[in-house]
Amino acid sequence: MNCHCGNLKPYTDCCQKAHHNIAEAKTAEQLMRSRYSAFVLANGDYLMATHHVSTRPIKEKKAIVNWAKSVKWIKLEVLETSEGQENDTKGTVTFNAYFFENGKVDMIHEKSAFVRENNHWSYLGLSK
């Protein structure tokens, strides 16, 4: 089975590596893809660990996990990346994440900001 993030590799050769070691996400896009897979798997610990400490919604973890479990994830489309490569310290990824909820298909469209600190990428939030 292909990875939840849309790559043609199996989950074990793709996002699972980052789920076991955040530093395995070498680019902002890889971190974003691994976070999408974490939503599919309702892996709240990973979502919190990869959310930058300055914007991390610790109090919302349970609600995020419950919501992630309540929808059926369909697919991820990466639309654009800016910077966010292995040697960068910041980057953005624009994506659409499709899911099925309450009898209809819905979508999250987001331009996400990422920073690289302490040898790994973190999700900051919406890019301005």
Side-chain angles (χ1 to χ4, degrees):
M1 181 181 119
N2 294 344
C3 190
H4 308 289
C5 77
N7 279 334
L8 299 179
K9 298 184 226 176
Y11 169 72
T12 53
D13 294 334
C14 193
C15 289
Q16 186 180 50
K17 289 180 176 183
H19 290 170
H20 288 161
N21 177 4
I22 295 168
E24 287 292 324
K26 304 292 185 193
T27 66
E29 181 178 331
Q30 286 175 346
L31 184 73
M32 189 278 306
R33 287 179 175 278
S34 71
R35 285 179 53 81
Y36 174 84
S37 289
F39 273 101
V40 172
L41 299 169
N43 183 343
D45 291 337
Y46 185 77
L47 292 170
M48 292 300 119
T50 56
H51 205 119
H52 194 269
V53 68
S54 68
T55 57
R56 189 177 296 154
I58 294 290
K59 293 179 181 175
E60 298 173 32
K61 177 182 173 185
K62 186 176 180 181
I64 290 167
V65 168
N66 287 340
W67 178 75
K69 288 179 178 178
S70 76
V71 302
K72 176 163 177 34
W73 294 95
I74 299 169
K75 72 175 180 173
L76 173 68
E77 287 179 333
V78 175
L79 304 173
E80 179 181 59
T81 59
S82 176
E83 299 179 274
Q85 299 304 307
E86 286 189 50
N87 295 323
D88 291 325
T89 57
K90 64 180 181 170
T92 62
V93 180
T94 306
F95 66 91
N96 292 333
Y98 296 88
F99 57 94
F100 191 76
E101 182 178 36
N102 298 323
K104 64 181 178 116
V105 173
D106 207 344
M107 174 190 68
I108 297 167
H109 174 79
E110 184 173 314
K111 183 175 184 177
S112 300
F114 296 87
V115 293
R116 184 172 172 83
E117 296 177 334
N118 303 321
N119 203 32
H120 67 83
W121 286 97
S122 294
Y123 170 70
L124 265 178
L126 296 176
S127 178
K128 302 203 189 296

